[in-house]
């Protein structure tokens, strides 16, 4: 049996002698308080007190698809700033600094990250780890660079083949780990 009612942050919702603090609650000096606005659920079978928010924070978890901007590349990894979680309207709560290890960029062998990703590239990636830090992968066909600019003239690069990008202004070609829908993603 579950008992439900609306609560606000700081509301006393239960005592630790009877319930365990769970999602959306915290315990202090033997008393359980709501840590967010929502519906209090006292579960009499599990003996837990939790608050279910009508608009929960967007906290990343393994398997989430995200869009990120490459911040820097080194020979063995790239760092990225996660911008948005695919399919979610709410901003990401928590850590947005992520890494992509060289072995997680492409299904084939890659010996240098800069051959696949460059600073400023926008990528679609899957979250493969959250502890001790946010880790991403672009190995799948649908993952990888979705938009890139020329490093010289800043024009948007055009796809030419499976891994090639081309700058019409500078008449230069570049190699990237491209998503299958490169150029068709709207930000």
């Amino acid at each position: 049996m579950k008992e439900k009612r609306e609560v606000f942050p700081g509301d006393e919702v239960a005592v630790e002698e009877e319930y365990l603090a769970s999602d959306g609650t915290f315990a202090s000096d033997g008393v359980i308080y709501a840590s967010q606005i929502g519906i209090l659920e006292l579960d009499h079978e599990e003996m837990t007190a939790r608050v279910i928010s009508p608009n929960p924070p967007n906290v990343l978890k393994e398997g989430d698809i995200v869009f990120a901007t490459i911040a820097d590349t080194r020979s063995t990894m790239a760092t990225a700033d996660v911008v948005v979680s695919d399919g979610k309207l709410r901003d990401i709560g928590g850590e947005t600094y992520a890494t992509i290890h060289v072995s997680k960029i492409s299904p084939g062998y890659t010996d240098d990250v800069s051959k696949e990703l460059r600073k400023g590239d926008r990528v679609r990636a899957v979250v493969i780890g959250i502890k001790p830090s946010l880790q991403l992968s672009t190995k799948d066909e649908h993952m990888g660079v979705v938009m890139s600019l020329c490093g010289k003239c800043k024009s948007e690069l055009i796809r030419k083949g499976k891994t090639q990008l081309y700058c019409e202004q500078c008449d230069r070609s570049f190699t990237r780990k491209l998503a299958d829908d490169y150029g068709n993603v709207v930000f």
Side-chain angles (χ1 to χ4, degrees), residues 19-92:
Y19 295 95
L20 293 172
S22 186
D23 299 333
T25 65
F26 68 95
S28 178
D29 296 325
V31 178
I32 300 173
Y33 298 93
S35 63
Q36 62 189 19
I37 191 170
I39 303 298
L40 169 66
E41 185 177 272
L42 295 175
D43 189 328
H44 300 299
E45 291 176 17
E46 297 290 326
M47 301 311 293
T48 58
R50 71 181 189 144
V51 176
I52 302 165
S53 175
N55 189 11
N58 183 8
V59 178
L60 295 176
K61 59 187 178 307
E62 289 183 24
D64 283 351
I65 306 298
V66 297
F67 288 94
T69 302
I70 301 299
D72 195 16
T73 61
R74 299 183 198 123
S75 61
T76 60
M77 76 170 177
T79 58
D81 295 314
V82 177
V83 179
V84 69
S85 183
D86 193 23
K88 306 258 175 80
L89 298 175
R90 191 159 181 192
D91 288 342
I92 297 169

Side-chain angles (χ1 to χ4, degrees), residues 92-120:
I92 297 169
E95 186 63 49
T96 59
Y97 176 81
T99 59
I100 307 172
H101 190 268
V102 67
S103 66
K104 305 297 181 195
I105 293 173
S106 179
Y109 176 75
T110 301
D111 62 350
D112 188 0
V113 173
S114 66
K115 293 177 183 176
E116 306 284 345
L117 303 171
R118 297 277 172 93
K119 184 176 181 176

Side-chain angles (χ1 to χ4, degrees), residues 113-119 121 145 147-178 182:
V113 173
S114 66
K115 293 177 183 176
E116 306 284 345
L117 303 171
R118 297 277 172 93
K119 184 176 181 176
D121 285 352
V145 178
M147 205 266 301
S148 186
L149 301 177
C150 176
K152 185 175 182 182
C153 72
K154 304 301 181 209
S155 297
E156 189 169 339
L157 299 175
I158 300 166
R159 184 179 197 142
K160 296 281 186 183
K162 187 172 180 166
T163 62
Q164 291 293 312
L165 293 176
Y166 177 73
C167 177
E168 291 179 325
Q169 301 290 327
C170 300
D171 191 32
R172 296 173 38 184
S173 292
F174 306 90
T175 303
R176 296 284 201 286
K177 182 351 183 147
L178 300 176
Y182 174 89

Side-chain angles (χ1 to χ4, degrees), residues 135-155:
Q135 301 140 49
L136 307 176
S137 172
T138 59
K139 275 188 164 185
D140 288 349
E141 184 178 311
H142 194 55
M143 305 299 154
V145 178
V146 294
M147 205 266 301
S148 186
L149 301 177
C150 176
K152 185 175 182 182
C153 72
K154 304 301 181 209
S155 297

